[in-house]
Amino acid sequence: MEGLGVAKDYKEAARLFRLAADQGSLDAQTGLGLIYEKGLGVVQNHIEAARWYRRAADQGYANAQVRLGILHEKGLGVTRDPALAIALYRQAAAGGNPEAHFRIGTCLIAGTQCGARDPVEGRRLIGIAAEQGYPTAQDWIAANPQ
C-alpha cells in the first residue's frame, strides 16, 4: 500500500488485500478494513471497514480489535457503543497492542466510557504503550510529566 519502489496504486492495493483477505490473512483483512475506513482506492465505507475488522478481530487479531473499537467509539459504520469499544481495546491490550494500552489509559485518566476514573492505572498503561514505542503515548508522557 505504501508504493515502495513503485508508484502508489490504492486500487491495486485494495484488489491484492481482498485476495489475501479472502484467503484468511488477518493482516490483509485489517488492511482492507483500513482501506475502506480511509477511502483509499475505494469509496469510503465504514460499514465495509467494520465488516473486515470484525473478521480479523473475531480471530483475536489485536490491530483489528483496536480499529473496530475506534469505529464503535465514534459510531462510524456501526452503532456507537463505548462499552464495546473499551472491551475491544482490553482484548487488544491483552494481546500486547500499544495503541490499546494508550486508549484505555486515556479513558481511565479522563474517567469517560470505561467506568471509574483511575489516573494512576491510566498513566501506567500509557507508560506501557510508550515503552512499546507508541509515539502518541511517548508524546503524552513528555507533555504530562509526573
Side-chain angles (χ1 to χ4, degrees):
M1 200 161 60
E2 292 299 317
L4 300 176
V6 296
K8 287 183 182 180
D9 184 346
Y10 291 118
K11 285 185 180 184
E12 179 65 2
R15 185 185 75 77
L16 294 172
F17 269 91
R18 181 175 295 279
L19 286 173
D22 285 339
Q23 293 178 11
S25 167
L26 301 179
D27 279 331
Q29 290 169 1
T30 305
L32 192 55
L34 188 62
I35 285 171
Y36 278 105
E37 181 183 352
K38 304 295 182 186
L40 302 172
V42 298
V43 174
Q44 186 178 40
N45 184 334
H46 290 109
I47 294 170
E48 191 68 7
R51 186 173 78 81
W52 285 105
Y53 289 148
R54 188 171 291 109
R55 282 181 67 175
D58 286 348
Q59 297 176 72
Y61 194 62
N63 290 340
Q65 290 165 335
V66 170
R67 297 307 316 164
L68 184 58
I70 291 167
L71 295 183
H72 278 287
E73 184 177 344
K74 297 178 178 181
L76 298 172
V78 293
T79 302
R80 185 174 185 281
D81 188 343
L84 179 55
I86 293 299
L88 287 162
Y89 297 153
R90 290 189 190 282
Q91 290 173 12
N97 184 282
E99 184 177 0
H101 283 108
F102 179 77
R103 288 182 171 280
I104 296 166
T106 56
C107 176
L108 288 169
I109 288 169
T112 58
Q113 300 177 8
C114 45
R117 190 170 180 272
D118 188 345
V120 172
E121 177 64 5
R123 186 172 187 84
R124 185 187 75 78
L125 291 172
I126 292 171
I128 290 171
E131 289 170 7
Q132 292 174 311
Y134 187 60
T136 306
Q138 293 169 338
D139 293 345
W140 188 95
I141 293 290
N144 296 281
Q146 282 186 310

